[in-house]
Amino acid sequence: MLLQLSKTIGLFVLTALAEIIGCYLPYLWLKQGRSAWLLVPAALSLAAFAWLLTLHPQATGRVYAAYGGVYVSVALLWLWAVDSVKPSTADFVGVGLCLLGMSVIMFAPRPA
């Protein structure tokens, strides 16, 4: 169970990073006047994001629903690390709730 948990969380974190990077690079181009060449790695990152979502053995809808909780967590870490904005207590509480929801969706016992 611990190996499955670690693998699922790790895969979700990689997926979230791929999605965030794939969206952040066009932001740099559009809002900060950076090179349009950033769209190439952005597209590759978004393709990796879509591919990574297919690696989960659970039903697609369940994966998408649970992924949202991890995405919120990684996005707030991005806010802190990249944008230099420290998340608030409410942000941390929200992340905890999102991760709790993700855990219920992904790891609750289900009939076979």
Side-chain angles (χ1 to χ4, degrees), residues 9 12 62-70 73 93-108 110:
I9 300 284
F12 275 145
R62 185 170 293 130
V63 170
Y64 293 164
Y67 164 69
V70 177
S73 306
V93 170
V95 163
L97 291 170
C98 288
L99 291 176
L100 178 63
M102 182 278 300
S103 297
V104 170
I105 291 168
M106 289 302 289
F107 303 116
R110 292 184 175 78

Side-chain angles (χ1 to χ4, degrees), residues 51-109:
W51 174 72
L52 287 164
L53 281 174
T54 69
L55 299 180
H56 292 274
Q58 294 85 354
T60 306
R62 185 170 293 130
V63 170
Y64 293 164
Y67 164 69
V70 177
Y71 177 84
V72 168
S73 306
V74 175
L76 282 174
L77 289 173
W78 184 276
L79 173 75
W80 199 351
V82 175
D83 295 331
S84 300
V85 177
K86 185 177 184 207
S88 68
T89 301
D91 293 330
F92 286 115
V93 170
V95 163
L97 291 170
C98 288
L99 291 176
L100 178 63
M102 182 278 300
S103 297
V104 170
I105 291 168
M106 289 302 289
F107 303 116

Side-chain angles (χ1 to χ4, degrees), residues 3-70:
L3 179 60
Q4 179 189 0
L5 175 67
S6 299
K7 182 178 176 183
T8 299
I9 300 284
L11 192 52
F12 275 145
V13 169
L14 284 175
T15 304
L17 286 171
E19 183 178 10
I20 290 169
I21 290 167
C23 294
Y24 186 70
L25 295 176
Y27 166 83
L28 292 176
W29 169 59
L30 290 168
K31 293 288 191 173
Q32 296 187 3
R34 303 279 181 89
S35 171
W37 283 104
L38 288 174
L39 297 177
V40 174
L44 293 172
S45 188
L46 288 173
F49 154 72
W51 174 72
L52 287 164
L53 281 174
T54 69
L55 299 180
H56 292 274
Q58 294 85 354
T60 306
R62 185 170 293 130
V63 170
Y64 293 164
Y67 164 69
V70 177

